Amino acid sequence: MLGVCEPVLFGADTGATFAPGVLSAEAGRAAYDAVVRAVDAAMKREVDAIATAPVNKEAFRLAGLPWSGHTDLLAHLTGARDVAMMFHSDVLRVVLATVHIALADVPRALNAASLEATIDLTWRELPRFGIARPRIAVAGLNPHAGEHGLFGCEEETIIAPAIAACRARGIDVAGPFPADTVFVRARRGDFDVVVACYHDQGLIPVKLVAFGQAVNVTLGLPIVRTSVDHGTAFDIAGRGVADPESMIAAVLLAARLARVRLKPWL
């Protein structure tokens, strides 16, 4: 780790104590404060990148914080307009069109304008990862990608028009493809990244093939931010058995992305 970066730790104020695995407003506020300090340092270029540990969304809520997690909080703190959550691994990359919302709310949250913005952002950001001209696939929302309206109309009324608009601007994007096969095709090498319509649609396949090696990257920020591919795991908190592999991967990727600002992909 020390061979690629100089770690700077942002955590709770000195002297603060929290019971492992116990939800509390105080812990939620402490996590929030640590993120705010880290982002402020990154915006001032006092640090080159940040790699965040997971936050507990219930603790945020107990602390009276309106954000559902890192992604929307980071957008707020940095003033970024369009952001997206990407899970990056050597075998599969996934970008989420919607994030932490109820499954029942996904069809209402998914619209052509927001999907266009996510595809465009993915196209612009992937070169940072060594992919000069990304090949983007978009997963359908419904089974069989709607089967021409038989199982839902979102593919024809929302997803296909967004794809067509992006293709008209020169973006290499295709779909909508049935979600039960598009991730297999991407892992096989047909595509560089898949845009998924909702949280579990994208995260189940990437965690199935790369859990522990995948890194959560926030696209669209003016700073480099990476994180782990898992949650807080309160069930094992304080037992000394947590696997640090994903945190290590997040730090290493953050260091590589920070260097991309000055030189080609290493």
Side-chain angles (χ1 to χ4, degrees):
M1 190 75 71
L2 294 177
V4 298
C5 68
E6 179 183 347
V8 178
L9 182 63
F10 293 84
D13 292 334
T14 303
T17 59
F18 304 98
V22 177
L23 280 170
S24 71
E26 293 75 19
R29 174 60 63 171
Y32 166 79
D33 289 341
V35 173
V36 170
R37 292 198 302 273
V39 170
D40 182 63
M43 293 290 284
K44 293 176 178 176
R45 297 296 186 258
E46 295 172 355
V47 297
D48 297 304
I50 61 175
T52 62
V55 296
N56 188 286
K57 297 165 183 60
E58 290 183 72
F60 263 30
R61 190 57 52 88
L62 288 173
L65 301 170
W67 300 283
S68 62
H70 276 113
T71 304
D72 51 346
L73 172 57
L74 291 166
H76 168 76
L77 293 175
T78 61
R81 187 184 68 175
D82 294 320
V83 298
M85 181 186 292
M86 181 175 81
F87 279 75
H88 174 277
S89 75
D90 291 337
V91 295
L92 185 63
R93 301 175 195 87
V94 174
V95 174
L96 303 182
T98 63
V99 191
H100 296 121
I101 59 174
L103 185 57
D105 295 333
V106 170
R108 290 189 295 273
L110 197 65
N111 59 73
S114 66
L115 184 56
E116 265 191 71
T118 299
I119 295 170
D120 185 73
L121 179 61
T122 302
W123 172 259
R124 288 186 281 111
E125 290 277 82
L126 261 290
R128 296 168 56 207
F129 298 82
I131 305 170
R133 287 187 58 83
R135 299 164 300 158
I136 304 170
V138 181
L141 173 65
N142 299 296
H144 298 258
E147 198 79 63
H148 302 291
L150 185 62
F151 304 131
C153 63
E154 286 84 3
E155 284 75 15
E156 295 183 352
T157 61
I158 297 171
I159 302 175
I163 291 172
C166 290
R167 288 185 64 85
R169 297 199 298 273
I171 296 176
D172 186 356
V173 57
F177 297 111
D180 59 355
T181 55
V182 69
F183 298 100
V184 176
R185 295 182 60 187
R187 190 184 183 199
R188 193 171 59 197
D190 293 354
F191 308 107
D192 297 304
V193 61
V194 178
V195 175
C197 289
Y198 58 93
H199 186 279
D200 284 13
Q201 185 187 61
L203 266 57
I204 288 172
V206 77
K207 290 187 179 185
L208 180 66
V209 301
F211 188 67
Q213 293 90 45
V215 176
N216 178 356
V217 185
T218 308
L219 305 182
L221 296 176
I223 62 173
V224 173
R225 180 265 175 169
T226 65
S227 190
V228 294
D229 65 354
H230 56 74
T232 50
F234 273 15
D235 57 319
I236 60 171
R239 292 170 50 189
V241 297
D243 187 345
E245 187 175 17
S246 185
M247 191 73 236
I248 293 170
V251 172
L252 294 177
L253 182 58
R256 295 182 75 178
L257 292 174
R259 292 203 300 271
V260 168
R261 289 176 172 173
L262 302 176
K263 58 185 68 177
W265 179 258
L266 300 176

